[in-house]
Amino acid sequence: MNFIHTIRLNKSIKLTVKTLLIGVLVLAHISCKKDFLQDGSITDGAIKGEEVWANDAYARGVLNSAYFNVSEGFSIDGNGGMLASGTDEAVNSGVNTTMSIFNNGTWGPVRTVDDDYSNLYEGLRKVNLFIENLPASQIIPTDGLTTEEDKSRLEGQAYFLRALFHFELVKRYGAITLATRVFSRDENLNLPKNTYKQCMDQIIADCEKAIASKIPVFTREASDVNKYAWRTGDYGRATKTAAMGLKSRMLLYAASPQFAAQSGVSWQQAADAAKVIIDLNVHSLQSTYTNVFNYGAAAYNNEVLFATRAQNRNDIEQQQAPISYDGATGRTNPTQEMVDAFETTNGKLITDPTNTLYSEANPYANRDTRFGLTINHNGRSFKSKAVQTFVGGADGLNRNINATKTGYYMRKFLSEAATWNQASNTLARRPWVVLRYSEILLNYAEALNEAQGIVAVNEVLQRVNSVRARGGIAALQTTNPNANGYVVPTKEAIRERIHNERRVELCFEGHRFYDVRRWKQGELFLNKPVTGMRITFDANSNLVYTRFEVEKRYFQEKNYLYPFSQNTINRQPALIQNTGY
C-alpha cells in the first residue's frame, strides 16, 4: 500500500463516528468554557460519508479532529525527548534513547526519529476531505454569522492547517509530495515529489486563503467580539495572524542559504512578511518571560499567534524536572554551550574579555534573566528548594540512571504548581506554542539585516532590543561605544548577535534544530562534542567549576534533511530517498 492510502477517504466509504469525530463541538449545545477538542462524540455507530456532511456537528467534527494532528514538541519520542537534544542545546539523559540517533552518525532510513510523516498526511487527508465537502455541507451558522461567513471561518481554519501540515513536512524532508485533494483507491499513488518551490508556493497560497477568510485576526480580538472573535472554548483554533506567522516562517526558511537557490525568495520578501504582522499592532510581548508559558484559566496570551489546545497535564514536569523532585526523570539536560549563550546584564557575551560582570568562579551571577527561567542550574530554587547538581548532590552527575549528564536540567515550560507521583496530583494547563510574537520580531530583524545590512541597522536593532529588554539585558548599540563596551559595526556582526538572540529567546522550542540547518551551519555547531559543568568543592568548601566533555556529536551533509523511512520508500519508490541516505 502506498503512503497516500493514508490520506484518502471516499465519500462512499462508511465512517465510524467515534473514530472520525474525536473532539466534535456542537457550539449550540456545549458551553464555551469547554475545550473545542474535548471528546464530544455523538454516536458509536457507522454512518455513510454523505450523512457526515448532512449533519452540522459531524461536518465540523472532521475539521476539529484535524487539530489533533498538529505536532507538539514536549515529547517526540514518547519519553520526554525533545528536539533540543538533537542540537547543541541539550543532551537527553535517557539510557539507549532514540534521541541519540540524531547525533551518533546512525540516522538513516531504518533508524528514524521524530518520524511524524504518517500523522501529518493523516491531517492532510482530513482537511482535504473537509475542504472538498464543505460547500455542500449542512452547516448551521453560529455566533450571529451567516452561513457563508461561518463556512468561510471553517474553510480558513482548514487552509491554515493544510499549510501547517505541509510546512511541517517540508521543514523536515525538503521537497515532498503535495496532498491538496482527497485521493481515491484506484489512482496510481506511486507519486514523485513536487519541487521545493512548488511546496513553498502551495504553503503560502494556503496561508493567503486563510488570511482572506473570516477567521478572527487573533485569538482575543478586541472589536466585534460576539461575531468574529474566538470564544474561550475555541482557543487553539487558527487565526489570521497565525497564518501570517506561518507565512513569515516559510519565507524566512526559503530565503535562507539552505533553500534560497531552490525557492528564489529574497530576504526582503521574508522581511516584508514579518513586518505585516508588526504593523497590525495587535500582538505584543509579555511583560516577563515566565508569563509566555504560564497558562492559567485564560489559557492563551497576546504573545501567542498559534498554539495547540491547552491540556491539563503534569507529564512535562515528571519527565523534565530534576531527579530529586518526586522521582522525576530530568530528560532534557542543557549543554554548557547553551548556558554560555546567555549574556550578562550589561549586554556582553561571556566570551568578551572586557566583560567584568562574568566570573568563572561564580558563573551564574549577573546573567540574562531568561537564564534562570530556562535552566535549572546548581543553587537555583525550584519548587521552594535549591537544585543540587554538584557532585554528590541530590540532582548531581551519576546520582542515578536518570541523573543529568551535563550538570543542568531544563526549567522552561515547567510549572511549579504541578505535582506528580503523589496520592493526589495537581495538573497545570499548557499548550505547545507553535508561533509567538518574539519569533516574528526576530524573523524581521534577521531578514531585514540580510536584505539591507547596515543601512537598516536602527530598525533591525529596535526589534532585537525589544526582545532583549524583556530579558533584562542592555540594548545592542550602533553608536556611543562606551555605553556598553560594544559597537555593532557590520552586517556580519549584527547577524551573529541576531543568531545568538534566537538561540537564547527560542531555546528548547524546536527552532535551533532548523535554524542551524537553514543557515548551513550544521558542520560548525553539530559536528563536535558538547560539554557540561562538573561542580565540586575545594578544601575550603568553595565551589569549583570544571567544564568536561559529555558526548561526541556527528553531523554529515545528508543530515541537513530527514531521511524518508525505508517503509515509506518501499511503498512509494517514485518519492526517491533524500541524497546521502
Side-chain angles (χ1 to χ4, degrees):
M1 179 183 290
N2 187 276
F3 89 94
I4 296 182
H5 282 125
T6 66
I7 57 174
R8 52 149 177 80
L9 186 54
N10 243 327
K11 293 181 181 179
S12 61
I13 296 175
K14 288 190 176 181
L15 307 175
T16 302
V17 177
K18 185 174 183 180
T19 301
L20 179 62
L21 301 184
I22 297 173
V24 166
L25 174 65
V26 185
L27 290 173
H29 298 94
I30 297 180
S31 166
C32 67
K33 294 182 180 180
K34 192 171 184 179
D35 193 299
F36 81 94
L37 289 179
Q38 198 166 343
D39 191 354
S41 301
I42 306 246
T43 176
D44 291 335
I47 62 173
K48 293 181 179 180
E50 55 267 25
E51 294 176 300
V52 171
W53 311 112
N55 182 291
D56 174 79
Y58 295 171
R60 292 177 186 272
V62 176
L63 176 63
N64 289 343
S65 69
Y67 279 94
F68 281 101
N69 296 89
V70 176
S71 305
E72 75 158 45
F74 288 124
S75 181
I76 64 176
D77 67 345
N79 194 31
M82 301 183 72
L83 204 57
S85 298
T87 75
D88 54 358
E89 288 182 322
V91 172
N92 188 282
S93 68
V95 177
N96 299 321
T97 172
T98 57
M99 300 304 297
S100 63
I101 294 172
F102 279 131
N103 309 312
N104 62 15
T106 66
W107 194 16
V110 297
R111 285 180 61 81
T112 62
V113 61
D114 187 35
D115 188 355
D116 210 24
Y117 194 82
S118 295
N119 170 65
L120 292 168
Y121 275 107
E122 179 187 341
L124 286 167
R125 172 188 62 80
K126 292 175 183 177
V127 294
N128 285 328
L129 183 72
F130 184 80
I131 290 169
E132 290 183 15
N133 288 278
L134 179 62
S137 295
Q138 300 303 302
I139 296 297
I140 301 172
T142 61
D143 295 336
L145 299 170
T146 65
T147 300
E148 181 181 353
E149 288 172 330
D150 205 352
K151 284 189 175 183
S152 174
R153 190 164 66 170
L154 293 166
E155 186 177 51
Q157 295 177 66
Y159 279 123
F160 170 78
L161 289 174
R162 191 166 77 177
L164 180 62
F165 295 145
H166 275 135
F167 175 80
E168 288 292 326
L169 288 161
V170 167
K171 79 176 185 181
R172 288 169 170 81
Y173 302 99
I176 49 94
T177 304
L178 288 170
T180 57
R181 61 184 178 84
V182 178
F183 294 86
S184 64
R185 290 173 180 265
D186 55 359
E187 290 186 68
N188 176 14
L189 299 177
N190 183 25
L191 300 175
K193 300 173 186 173
N194 291 85
T195 67
Y196 181 88
K197 187 177 187 307
Q198 287 171 336
C199 295
M200 176 197 71
D201 287 344
Q202 183 63 54
I203 291 166
I204 293 171
D206 282 344
C207 286
E208 295 287 1
K209 288 178 181 177
I211 294 166
S213 76
K214 294 294 185 181
I215 55 177
V217 175
F218 63 110
T219 299
R220 291 186 287 179
E221 191 172 358
S223 62
D224 207 2
V225 171
N226 293 329
K227 192 169 185 180
Y228 292 122
W230 292 133
R231 297 184 296 181
T232 302
D234 287 331
Y235 287 175
R237 291 189 185 274
T239 63
K240 291 186 192 299
T241 55
M244 292 174 182
L246 181 58
K247 178 182 175 181
S248 168
R249 190 186 290 179
M250 178 71 261
L251 288 173
L252 185 79
Y253 278 45
S256 297
Q258 184 184 12
F259 296 116
Q262 300 176 61
S263 71
V265 170
S266 70
W267 283 111
Q268 189 61 53
Q269 288 175 276
D272 292 344
K275 188 63 159 53
V276 169
I277 304 168
I278 296 170
D279 288 345
L280 279 178
N281 197 31
V282 295
H283 286 284
S284 59
L285 297 175
Q286 289 291 292
S287 58
T288 69
Y289 198 56
T290 303
N291 289 346
V292 179
F293 306 101
N294 183 18
Y295 285 74
Y300 292 86
N301 59 63
N302 196 43
E303 186 166 335
V304 173
L305 275 71
F306 182 69
T308 62
R309 66 191 180 108
Q311 301 179 63
N312 286 312
R313 58 198 300 178
N314 62 3
D315 59 307
I316 303 169
E317 288 73 25
Q318 188 168 3
Q319 292 171 338
Q320 304 296 352
I323 58 173
S324 70
Y325 293 76
D326 300 316
T329 53
R331 284 285 175 252
T332 303
N333 307 156
T335 63
Q336 191 60 46
E337 287 73 21
M338 184 68 249
V339 171
D340 290 348
F342 289 89
E343 301 171 20
T344 48
T345 54
N346 58 5
K348 295 183 180 182
L349 299 167
I350 68 167
T351 53
D352 187 335
T354 69
N355 191 351
T356 58
L357 287 185
Y358 178 72
S359 168
E360 291 191 355
N362 190 14
Y364 309 138
N366 306 315
R367 302 295 281 272
D368 179 336
T369 58
R370 291 172 293 187
F371 173 59
L373 298 172
T374 299
I375 295 174
N376 271 323
H377 58 80
N378 188 62
R380 183 69 168 93
S381 176
F382 180 66
K383 292 178 73 69
S384 301
K385 73 173 184 177
V387 176
Q388 298 181 354
T389 60
F390 57 83
V391 174
D395 307 297
L397 301 170
N398 304 315
R399 183 73 183 187
N400 68 24
I401 197 171
N402 295 315
T404 177
K405 292 183 177 180
T406 65
Y408 302 101
Y409 295 90
M410 185 185 72
R411 182 188 184 89
K412 194 173 190 176
F413 313 119
L414 274 59
S415 169
E416 298 202 24
T419 61
W420 57 96
N421 289 339
Q422 306 294 315
S424 178
N425 293 318
T426 302
L427 307 180
R429 189 170 172 81
R430 269 81 49 83
W432 175 258
V433 178
V434 178
L435 291 157
R436 60 188 181 95
Y437 189 56
S438 62
E439 179 198 343
I440 301 304
L441 294 172
L442 294 174
N443 288 357
Y444 177 60
E446 178 185 345
L448 189 62
N449 179 61
E450 297 296 343
Q452 300 184 22
I454 203 70
V455 173
V457 65
N458 291 327
E459 174 74 0
V460 168
L461 292 188
Q462 176 189 349
R463 307 306 176 180
V464 176
N465 287 335
S466 65
V467 177
R468 291 169 65 82
R470 183 172 64 185
I473 51 177
L476 295 175
Q477 304 288 321
T478 58
T479 58
N480 190 12
N482 294 323
N484 292 308
Y486 184 81
V487 182
V488 182
T490 65
K491 171 181 176 178
E492 290 72 26
I494 298 171
R495 175 191 296 145
E496 289 185 14
R497 297 310 288 262
I498 293 172
H499 284 193
N500 196 69
E501 197 63 36
R502 288 185 69 92
R503 185 177 191 177
V504 169
E505 171 69 18
L506 305 174
C507 64
F508 310 129
E509 296 178 47
H511 290 275
R512 179 74 174 170
F513 189 97
Y514 295 103
D515 281 347
V516 169
R517 284 168 167 77
R518 67 182 178 83
W519 295 329
K520 292 292 286 186
Q521 293 182 334
E523 290 85 355
L524 176 63
F525 290 107
L526 306 180
N527 197 41
K528 60 183 180 181
V530 291
T531 61
M533 185 66 76
R534 180 177 288 108
I535 305 174
T536 55
F537 294 90
D538 64 14
N540 297 316
S541 298
N542 297 314
L543 293 174
V544 177
Y545 298 87
T546 307
R547 296 168 188 256
F548 70 100
E549 182 179 307
V550 177
E551 66 182 28
K552 298 186 183 302
R553 295 285 180 87
Y554 301 93
F555 184 92
Q556 303 173 61
E557 176 69 23
K558 65 182 180 180
N559 298 144
Y560 277 103
L561 294 174
Y562 279 38
F564 295 102
S565 74
Q566 193 58 51
N567 287 338
T568 296
I569 293 297
N570 290 343
R571 291 193 299 266
Q572 189 186 0
L575 186 62
I576 303 178
Q577 184 60 266
N578 279 331
T579 302
Y581 294 108

